[in-house]
Amino acid sequence: QVQLAESGGGLVQAGDSLRLSCAASGRTFSNYAMAWFRQAPGKEREFVADISWTRVTTYTSSVKGRFTISRDNAKNTVYLQMNGLKPEDTAVYYCAAGLRLSSYSYWGQGTQVTVSS
């Protein structure tokens, strides 16, 4: 079992930056692929970024060049640095973990990010 807890969300203006954190506990963090998803009001949850245990990263096209996913295995934490935020980035952001990329078994409760224009 893996427990995930996101933090760092908030209300910001367009163009601002935020860094989300996801603290993991329960199993060997370094064995897990980690990802960030988001869900905007009235929309389905969508993939944002992921990072493998070898630190290979992928991003959805709408955030490439603006968001950076990283992990600190010593702190059991994955981060999402979000720069140049846009109103369309407004969503609840979820952290996920799985033993394989694109196969996530564990989810956090989410953290709200709101970007005003």
Side-chain angles (χ1 to χ4, degrees):
Q1 193 77 2
V2 176
Q3 293 80 42
L4 302 172
E6 303 97 334
S7 61
L11 171 63
V12 297
Q13 294 186 334
D16 285 351
S17 298
L18 276 177
R19 188 176 79 158
L20 305 183
S21 300
C22 173
S25 61
R27 289 290 179 93
T28 305
F29 177 75
S30 60
N31 290 345
Y32 284 80
M34 302 296 297
W36 288 96
F37 288 75
R38 66 186 179 186
Q39 187 167 19
K43 295 187 177 181
E44 294 187 353
R45 188 175 298 186
E46 66 169 351
F47 169 80
V48 176
D50 64 21
I51 184 166
S52 72
W53 48 94
T54 57
R55 304 179 190 274
V56 174
T57 60
T58 57
Y59 299 90
T60 192
S61 58
S62 62
V63 308
K64 280 183 181 178
R66 298 190 298 124
F67 290 11
T68 302
I69 188 170
S70 62
R71 64 191 299 159
D72 185 336
N73 289 341
K75 295 183 178 180
N76 287 359
T77 301
V78 63
Y79 303 99
L80 186 68
Q81 178 67 43
M82 305 186 294
N83 299 329
L85 283 162
K86 303 176 181 180
E88 51 264 43
D89 294 318
T90 294
V92 178
Y93 283 71
Y94 297 90
C95 175
L99 289 174
R100 293 184 298 138
L101 290 169
S102 301
S103 180
Y104 301 106
S105 303
Y106 305 102
W107 295 82
Q109 294 300 306
T111 185
Q112 176 71 47
V113 172
T114 303
V115 185
S116 64
S117 58

